[in-house]
Every structure is written in C-alpha cells, then in structure tokens.
Amino acid sequence: MSGKPKIQIENLTKVFYKKDSRVVALDRVSLSVSDGEFICLVGPSGCGKTTLLRILAGLETPSAGSYTISRGKQERPLQSMVFQEQGVIPWLTVRENVAFGLKMRKLPKKVVNERTAYYLEKTGLSPYASLYPKELSGGMKQRVSIARAFANDPEILLMDEPFAALDEQNKFILQEELLAIWSETKKTVLFITHSIDEALLLADRILLMSAQPGQFVKEIKVSLPRPRTMEQVRADPEMAKQFVDIRKHLQEEVQRSRK
Amino acid sequence: MMKVNSEEKHSDPFKVERLEWERQQRKERYKKVLTICSPVFLLLLWEFLSRTGLIDARFFPPPSDIVGTLVAMGMSGELFQHIGVSLYRIFAGFLFGVIPGIVVGLLMGLYSPIRHFISPIVMALMPIPTLALLPLIIIVFGIGDASKIVTIAGSVFFPVVINTAAGVMNIDGIYLDVAKNYGASPKDHFFKIALPGALPVMMEGVQMGQAIALLTIVAAEMMGAASGIGYLIWTSYKAFMIQEMFVGLIMISFFGYLFSVLLRILQSKLIPWR
Ligand SMILES: Nc1ncnc2c1ncn2[C@@H]1O[C@H](COP(=O)(O)OP(=O)(O)O)[C@@H](O)[C@H]1O
Ligand SMILES: [Mg+2]
C-alpha cells in the first residue's frame, strides 16, 4: 500500500439554499481514508451523512471544498453506492439488477455474465436470479444492492445505512456476508450506520459526526482483530467501553440539536 | 361459548380449514355466476318486454330478431365490409396517435425544456374535441379513410402523451440516482429507466386512447363517410332499419370489449414486474 490516501476530502461544505431556508448540511469537513480501510460514519440523523456520500457518489455537487478519489486500475469505476432502500430497480430481474453497472459500462458479455454469476452465488441469490424484486424480501433486495455494487468492482464503495430497514436476524446474516465479501476484495468502504454495534463490528475506524452543521468531532480506532463476530464485539470489555462512549456522544448531540 | 369454539377447533383443524376453503370457493363461483347473469338477464328482460309489446318493438326489436339480422348481414358480406373499413381506420388512427404520443411524452418527461415548451401547446389543444375539427379535417383530407385516421389519431394522441409524460416524471428519483451512479448513458437512461419506468402509467393512457378511438370512429363515420360501422348505424337509422342499427351498435360494443381484453393481455406481457 502506498502512502497516498484513497479518498481525500478537504474542507467540503454543502449548503442547501431554498427561498426561505438555508441548511448547512456539511461544514468544512476533511477526511483522509487509506486504501482498503473500512470507515463507519455515525451521527444523529440530519447531520449530513447522506449528503457526504451523495457528493462522493457524484449525485450532489459540493458548495465549497474538494475531494479526490484516487484511481488504481484504469478501467475501474471510481465508486458505487448502495442506497438505503428501494435502490433495486423493479423492472429488472435480480440478475439484470446485479449486472446493471457492468452493462452500463459496456463490458464484454462474457465478463458481465461471469462476474454477475459470481456475486449472485456469493450472496446466495443464484436461485432467485430470474425473479423480479417484488417477489423478494427486504433482506434479499438489499443483497441484490450489495451484489450490484461489488460486481461493479469500483475503487470505493459507498453504503448508506444499507441494513437499517432489516430485522435483527437478517441484519446479522448480511453483516457477516458483507464482511466475508469485503475481506476477500479489500475494498475501501464508507459505511453509514446509526447502529453502534454495527459500526464496532464492521469498521477499522469510526467517525462521529456532530448534529447540524455536520462535522467530524471524534475518531475511534476499532482494535478488535479480524475476522470478527458480533459475539466478540458484545463480549469484549474494550468494545463495551467504546459502545458507551459513542452512545454518550450521540445522546449529547441529539440533545444539543433539540435546543 | 369459548369452550365450544375451542373444542370445535380441537376436533380437526384441517377439516375446519377445508370447510372454510370450500366456502370461499363457493363464494367465488357465485360471484362469477352473477357476472354472467347480468347481461343474460338484461337480454331476457328485453326480449320479454319487446315480445309482449310492453316496449315499442319498432324501436327496441327483440334481441333474437337482431341476431337474425346480424346473421343475414354477415351472410351477405355487407357487415364484414363495414367492419373491415372501420377496423382499418381504428388501427391506423390508433397507431398514428399512440406512437407520436409515446415519443413526445417520453421527451417531455425526460427533458424539462421540451416539457415547458410543448406543454402549453398540449394544454391549449387538448380541450378541443377532435370531432369539432372534423369539418375542417374533411375539407383538408376528404371523406375517405384519411380524414377518419387523422381524427382518431388526434383524439388518441392526448391521453397517451399526457400519461407518458406523467409516467416518466413519476419514476421514483432513486432509480434515476442509481442510473446516474452506475454511469448510464443517455441512451441507456432512455431505454432502461425512462421507458420501462413510465410503462404502467403510459399503458393506462393507451387504454384510454383505445376507448376514445372507438367513440371517435363511430361519430366520425356518422358525420362524413360512405362506409364503416358508424355509417351503417347512421344510414340504418335514417332509413328506419332499426334492427340493422342495433347490429352496428352490437359490433361497437363487441370490439370495445375485445380491444380492452387484448390490451390488458398486452399490458401483463409488457409489465411482468408489476
Ligand atoms: N435536497 C435537499 N434540499 C434541502 N435540504 C436538504 C436536501 N438534502 C438534505 N437536506 C438537509 O440537509 C441536512 C442533512 O441531510 P442528510 O445528509 O440526509 O442527513 P443524514 O443522512 O445524516 O440523516 C438535513 O437537514 C436535510 O434536511
Ligand atoms: Mg441519511
């Protein structure tokens, strides 16, 4: 790994300007992420997490500041996003959804089919490949989203609370699957969550954000060795202490934003 | 009460559920019978009233007589000639209305400058019944097929264009974000997102257009034509051949039903993901 950061964000600011409201969603945010790092963003809702991801995803333009995502291989797309929900296109089958990014990039049919099949298999979706999303459960749909992002093989992955709408059981399973695929591909991931457990399980580094305007206020390195399981996270005294720390911070921020 | 209930369930849960299921099936069959009964009942009532002279048989001939006339007209080939002419006009007019409607609607939905430019024109022209323009259309296109086709196309165009544009604009923004995030080209955006996403609402417009096409053809053929089902109805009426007139009306009803069934089948083929 070179010393050059994979993602470099400098003084990024985003203001939403409407007739009678101006919201400072992000206020001079800076961040440097190295290659292969798994970063979790945690913060009270409305603090600008989604906005930051949408800027990196090219769906929103920053009002000030800059960011760079450094390119490794030339043919790779810079980023792919896993949306919070409803990101699976209803008129495409599971297979077509997973292949979507590859097809948009006009890759050779053989490559598209191979990679699609590989990630369908990895996410346990192979038996459902020809179904339309309406026939899938919420957990299955989120698998499609994840498979689509990984199949696209981007430089970095952006994930916006991908498991927030799932029940506990499904969440545990998908978290483990995500970790398995991630450890195999060693992608750089920016992952938003409001679940402290989830952040401790997944992240190398957790960034805590303040309520509006969004800023990074604290950084926590998660030292628990990999591969990790939720049981380890729950049992480790160091993790328990960090859990309480993060929780306290979040509560303070929520209180502050209410005032 | 509680006790009795639980004992009953205790006896055999499968039996309880089977009886319930059979009850549901009977209910469904009953509903189907009702659906078939209503037109049959109406025809029988009509036949009875007409035969007994309770309603004037000159204006409301008994259905059995009308069927006889229908068969006779079918044998002579006269009926099929009128039907053929009308169907040709309907199909051609329908296509000339639907295809531009879809194209313009998609462009309006996708590109807001085009939408803002075209929508006042659409809004201004839409309230004018195409039939009110028929005299003008006949002056320009004559009393042959062309004027009918233009009239139908004009009537079909508006519901299709409006529904298609609305269909595109109602596509959930998240799919547009996905397409953008995964680098869709304008062409992919058009064919992979806008067109399929708009399809359900668009097909509602096409259904509406089909109904309008039938209304229009009859009126247009009544006003200025030398053939077709509308012409048949009008000339029969003027010659006081009421049975022949009813044959024309039945044909319209039949094709209206047939077209909407066909379109519904097409709809379920085109939108399997719904
Ligand atoms: N398109 C937009 N227009 C106006 N305000 C917006 C828009 N998107 C987000 N915001 C505002 O920016 C702030 C941050 O939003 P968001 O990034 O979605 O927060 P989070 O994802 O952390 O919950 C919120 O106050 C939200 O209302
Ligand atoms: Mg959010």
Side-chain angles (χ1 to χ4, degrees):
Chain A
M1 238 175 276
S2 66
K4 198 175 165 223
K6 192 80 197 168
I7 311 171
Q8 182 76 45
I9 299 172
E10 267 164 83
N11 291 320
L12 209 61
T13 299
K14 178 70 185 178
V15 180
F16 288 105
Y17 188 96
K18 296 249 167 77
K19 190 167 169 236
D20 38 29
S21 82
R22 46 224 63 174
V23 177
V24 183
L26 292 172
D27 187 15
R28 284 161 293 156
V29 168
S30 295
L31 172 67
S32 168
V33 181
S34 49
D35 196 9
E37 222 179 346
F38 200 124
I39 304 278
C40 277
L41 299 175
V42 179
S45 85
C47 74
K49 305 181 295 290
T50 298
T51 305
L52 177 60
L53 247 59
R54 286 178 61 85
I55 290 174
L56 294 176
L59 299 172
E60 212 75 76
T61 50
S63 315
S66 66
Y67 68 91
T68 47
I69 302 167
S70 69
R71 206 182 267 287
K73 280 198 219 155
Q74 198 47 241
E75 68 271 24
R76 264 194 195 153
L78 279 183
Q79 43 72 30
S80 296
M81 180 133 162
V82 176
F83 294 85
Q84 182 162 353
E85 48 191 335
Q86 300 295 323
V88 180
I89 299 170
W91 49 87
L92 301 179
T93 61
V94 168
R95 180 181 290 110
E96 289 166 339
N97 262 292
V98 174
F100 189 75
L102 304 170
K103 278 195 190 148
M104 291 305 108
R105 282 160 56 204
K106 313 264 181 298
L107 294 186
K109 226 189 182 106
K110 189 162 159 282
V111 179
V112 174
N113 291 342
E114 267 173 23
R115 260 203 245 166
T116 305
Y118 182 77
Y119 281 99
L120 282 171
E121 191 62 44
K122 272 266 163 243
T123 45
L125 287 167
S126 300
Y128 313 102
S130 312
L131 297 186
Y132 285 98
K134 70 162 180 193
E135 296 170 83
L136 302 183
S137 66
M140 283 299 187
K141 278 187 208 164
Q142 225 28 296
R143 282 194 176 86
V144 176
S145 251
I146 292 170
R148 176 173 64 193
F150 272 98
N152 205 29
D153 191 27
E155 296 286 348
I156 67 167
L157 272 170
L158 305 167
M159 306 183 85
D160 189 358
E161 303 196 38
F163 307 142
L166 303 182
D167 60 75
E168 286 280 286
Q169 293 315 310
N170 257 311
K171 200 187 292 193
F172 289 153
I173 296 169
L174 273 147
Q175 284 163 348
E176 283 187 6
E177 287 179 7
L178 173 65
L179 277 182
I181 303 179
W182 174 75
S183 60
E184 188 179 292
T185 54
K186 284 281 169 260
K187 288 267 172 243
T188 310
V189 182
L190 235 54
F191 187 107
I192 297 177
T193 177
H194 57 242
S195 156
I196 305 170
D197 274 337
E198 186 166 85
L200 289 172
L201 174 70
L202 299 175
D204 294 317
R205 203 153 41 115
I206 300 174
L207 295 168
L208 298 184
M209 290 179 79
S210 62
Q212 233 175 63
Q215 280 172 326
F216 294 134
V217 286
K218 201 168 169 195
E219 175 181 314
I220 293 164
K221 281 217 153 65
V222 184
S223 51
L224 197 68
R226 296 180 189 272
R228 304 173 187 161
T229 64
M230 197 45 111
E231 290 78 11
Q232 288 169 331
V233 172
R234 291 270 164 88
D236 191 289
E238 171 70 17
M239 293 295 113
K241 191 181 147 292
Q242 288 186 331
F243 182 97
V244 174
D245 274 0
I246 300 172
R247 194 179 157 80
K248 237 170 69 199
H249 160 82
L250 280 179
Q251 270 166 345
E252 278 165 20
E253 284 301 328
V254 171
Q255 289 298 336
R256 205 169 63 76
S257 68
R258 287 235 181 92
K259 272 175 201 155
Chain B
M1 192 63 205
M2 279 276 282
K3 187 129 191 284
V4 175
N5 222 341
S6 69
E7 254 173 30
E8 233 175 43
K9 287 236 169 78
H10 232 70
S11 59
D12 183 0
F14 287 103
K15 196 176 158 204
V16 172
E17 289 303 320
R18 203 194 69 218
L19 289 177
E20 175 61 23
W21 184 79
E22 280 170 2
R23 211 174 59 80
Q24 290 289 340
Q25 293 292 304
R26 270 201 299 280
K27 222 163 135 189
E28 287 302 310
R29 270 201 299 276
Y30 176 65
K31 281 185 207 153
K32 266 194 199 117
V33 171
L34 274 184
T35 309
I36 297 170
C37 269
S38 75
V40 171
F41 172 75
L42 184 72
L43 287 173
L44 285 178
L45 184 72
W46 179 358
E47 180 85 28
F48 170 77
L49 291 175
S50 179
R51 290 264 176 228
T52 54
L54 286 171
I55 54 172
D56 195 331
R58 284 174 302 169
F59 301 119
F60 298 98
S64 53
D65 284 4
I66 297 175
V67 172
T69 310
L70 192 155
V71 172
M73 286 170 81
M75 298 288 238
S76 77
E78 180 198 359
L79 183 60
F80 294 113
Q81 196 203 328
H82 286 303
I83 291 175
V85 168
S86 287
L87 285 184
Y88 164 66
R89 290 166 178 166
I90 290 172
F91 277 123
F94 188 67
L95 287 185
F96 279 117
V98 166
I99 294 170
I102 290 174
V103 173
V104 174
L106 282 174
L107 292 174
M108 281 174 74
L110 273 174
Y111 306 108
S112 69
I114 297 185
R115 176 163 67 249
H116 285 98
F117 184 73
I118 293 183
S119 71
I121 304 175
V122 170
M123 291 306 158
L125 293 181
M126 189 180 54
I128 304 172
T130 323
L131 284 173
L133 298 175
L134 191 58
L136 213 57
I137 295 174
I138 289 177
I139 291 174
V140 178
F141 294 95
I143 67 158
D145 291 339
S147 62
K148 312 299 168 300
I149 291 171
V150 169
T151 311
I152 292 174
S155 317
V156 169
F157 176 77
F158 289 98
V160 175
V161 83
I162 288 172
N163 274 49
T164 305
V168 176
M169 276 154 54
N170 283 339
I171 296 175
D172 197 328
I174 182 95
Y175 306 128
L176 308 181
D177 283 347
V178 170
K180 194 170 172 204
N181 189 240
Y182 284 88
S185 64
K187 186 174 146 248
D188 284 325
H189 197 90
F190 194 91
F191 286 105
K192 296 266 162 60
I193 303 292
L195 186 60
L199 214 51
V201 183
M202 191 168 92
M203 284 305 288
E204 299 296 320
V206 172
Q207 282 273 13
M208 247 189 275
Q210 172 265 322
I212 291 175
L214 271 174
L215 296 177
T216 309
I217 187 68
V218 175
E221 285 175 348
M222 283 170 87
M223 284 167 75
S227 57
I229 299 176
Y231 170 81
L232 171 69
I233 294 171
W234 184 241
T235 49
S236 306
Y237 166 72
K238 281 212 291 196
F240 210 69
M241 292 156 42
I242 300 298
Q243 295 194 6
E244 280 79 354
M245 184 191 84
F246 270 106
V247 168
L249 294 179
I250 289 171
M251 285 299 112
I252 294 297
S253 159
F254 169 73
F255 282 111
Y257 180 72
L258 182 71
F259 291 158
S260 67
V261 169
L262 289 179
L263 274 181
R264 221 165 300 143
I265 293 171
L266 179 70
Q267 202 164 351
S268 62
K269 286 269 177 298
L270 283 177
I271 316 174
W273 45 274
R274 260 291 164 105

